[in-house]
Amino acid sequence: MKITLVAACALVDADGRVLVAQRPEGKALAGLWEFPGGKVEPGERPEQTLIRELDEELGITVKEACLAPLTFASHGYETFHLLMPLWVCRRWEGTIQRKEHQALQWLRPARLRDIPMPPADEPLIPALIDLLGP
């Protein structure tokens, strides 16, 4: 089975809330809430992927030094296996804008359990609660 590497980022605001983005219509798992990020391209490091994806998806600039690795998820879907490391970022430049997603929302870590997320994202929640509190 093919392994797909996807880098994800938990953007954390000054109030300890985490940004989640709703997957757009027409994409797999449309309507579910996820952490921003994307597929790691050939020759690209995951940190480079996040810097690129956060600019493309949200219009913000992130420096690699501001990305802190936290945990990862390993999940088998029907046609591929997803390996998804999660970084935490508390500092960025620019104003977050919705460019590719249906909606964005800031949630306390414990509230992440109340929204529908892809199966690969759900195991990341306990590490965020441990880090940031409920």
Side-chain angles (χ1 to χ4, degrees):
M1 184 173 289
K2 180 184 173 193
I3 294 178
T4 300
L5 179 60
V6 171
C9 188
L11 292 166
V12 179
D13 71 4
D15 295 326
R17 298 176 304 167
V18 177
L19 183 75
V20 287
Q22 191 174 33
R23 291 184 61 82
E25 292 298 325
K27 282 198 168 184
L29 306 172
L32 298 183
W33 294 88
E34 66 181 358
F35 300 105
K39 286 183 187 172
V40 177
E41 300 294 337
E44 193 175 51
R45 292 182 299 108
E47 295 87 348
Q48 292 170 314
T49 299
L50 286 177
I51 290 166
R52 175 179 52 78
E53 289 283 349
L54 294 171
D55 178 44
E56 290 173 6
E57 293 180 4
L58 303 172
I60 59 173
T61 301
V62 173
K63 291 186 169 76
E64 188 169 334
C66 295
L67 295 170
L70 178 64
T71 189
F72 72 95
S74 178
H75 183 79
Y77 284 99
E78 201 169 302
T79 58
F80 66 98
H81 191 90
L82 181 73
L83 184 61
M84 184 167 58
L86 177 71
W87 277 260
V88 172
C89 180
R90 296 175 185 260
R91 296 182 63 182
W92 57 87
E93 296 173 11
T95 302
I96 292 175
Q97 343 168 17
R98 181 177 51 84
K99 290 179 143 190
E100 295 185 5
H101 296 92
Q102 289 186 58
L104 302 172
Q105 64 176 324
W106 292 96
L107 294 174
R108 303 285 310 155
R111 292 256 354 264
L112 294 170
R113 292 187 169 130
D114 299 337
I115 58 173
M117 297 184 94
D121 288 61
E122 292 173 1
L124 303 172
I125 296 170
L128 286 167
I129 292 172
D130 286 347
L131 177 71
L132 303 169

